[in-house]
Amino acid sequence: MPQATVHLLRHGEVFNPDAILYGRLPEFHLSDRGRQMAQMLADHFAARAAQGANIVYLASSPLTRAQETALPTSQALSLRIHTEPRIIEAENHFQGLHATISEFIKPKHWFEYRNPLRPSWGEPYKEQAARVRAAVDDARLKAIELGGDGAEAILVSHQLPIYATRLAAEGRPLWHDPRRRQCTLTSLTSLVFDDGGKVARVDYTEPAAVLLPGAASTPGA
């Protein structure tokens, strides 16, 4: 079986002036900075392709912010954007609320914190990692089908599902401190597969790091 790489790309900054925990809500678009981030990633992939990288498959979460992040890369590489529902944002009890401590500590939410290791307030980490990994495995096979040995695929997703998938691939516990996730806006978590179809390593890069200072940090879940 040929080798392949699947890049998990987190979407760019979202226009969210009210600091809503947007989760799976529709119509949350990229901000101006987010669009710049998306273009910077497109330039990054185009430069790699010019140097010989064989990037042959592009898919995105169905959510607006992910689709908009994928668009410049689609145009730069002349790749169709395939919509992949398995890499959508995690479900979350707090979706639609203001992402503030004063909101989260209200007594009406206390029951949701009964099992933070699962977590009880949203989709279990294990389920997130399983669905994203299934999409990753299919993208790996599709990339190999289209490009052969060394082919690469890009999946545009969201912070928590990406990070849960990384932890699972590295054999680490899935529970974690959300404040310490290594998965910034438009970062790349790249799963590099060996010729046996196993993850040989996980690479992490931030091609748009120059745009991160001052970016909004409200998570989707």
Side-chain angles (χ1 to χ4, degrees):
M1 178 69 70
Q3 298 179 348
T5 298
V6 178
H7 304 284
L8 293 172
L9 166 59
R10 186 187 173 194
H11 63 80
E13 184 190 60
V14 174
F15 180 70
N16 185 18
D18 296 325
I20 299 298
L21 199 151
Y22 38 73
R24 294 182 176 181
L25 294 175
E27 300 307 316
F28 273 84
H29 297 267
L30 295 183
S31 65
D32 290 342
R33 186 196 302 259
R35 287 191 289 273
Q36 292 174 26
M37 289 176 167
Q39 185 59 56
M40 189 168 287
L41 265 292
D43 294 343
H44 167 77
F45 286 124
R48 290 195 62 250
Q51 296 168 0
N54 191 18
I55 306 170
V56 296
Y57 184 75
L58 173 63
S60 170
S61 156
L63 295 177
T64 303
R65 59 192 185 269
Q67 294 276 330
E68 290 179 348
T69 300
L71 182 58
T73 294
S74 170
Q75 295 169 337
L77 301 181
S78 298
L79 293 176
R80 171 189 168 194
I81 302 173
H82 298 267
T83 298
E84 174 52 82
R86 292 175 294 182
I87 59 175
I88 198 170
E89 179 64 278
E91 293 180 345
N92 193 298
H93 165 78
F94 301 104
Q95 175 179 295
L97 301 179
H98 290 279
T100 62
I101 294 298
S102 60
E103 176 62 49
F104 294 156
I105 64 174
K106 288 180 179 179
K108 66 180 180 180
H109 300 311
W110 289 358
F111 182 72
E112 303 302 328
Y113 301 122
R114 64 193 182 277
N115 184 359
L117 304 185
R118 183 179 181 263
S120 51
W121 57 81
E123 182 183 10
Y125 296 135
K126 185 179 294 185
E127 292 181 12
Q128 294 179 52
R131 62 176 169 83
V132 175
R133 180 55 190 268
V136 165
D137 288 338
D138 286 349
R140 175 182 66 88
L141 293 175
K142 188 64 177 179
I144 291 172
E145 175 188 331
L146 294 171
D149 191 32
E152 302 180 26
I154 303 166
L155 302 183
V156 186
S157 186
H158 309 268
Q159 186 189 64
L160 180 50
I162 291 174
Y163 195 65
T165 303
R166 174 182 177 175
L167 292 176
E170 294 178 334
R172 292 194 277 163
L174 300 187
W175 59 269
H176 60 279
D177 183 341
R179 298 167 297 180
R180 298 189 177 185
R181 293 174 190 154
Q182 189 183 41
C183 188
T184 62
L185 294 165
T186 53
S187 61
L188 291 173
T189 300
S190 303
L191 279 62
V192 182
F193 290 88
D194 62 22
D195 55 11
K198 295 182 179 180
V199 176
R201 69 177 191 275
V202 178
D203 295 335
Y204 176 80
T205 54
E206 296 177 351
V210 68
L211 295 176
L212 291 174
S217 58
T218 302

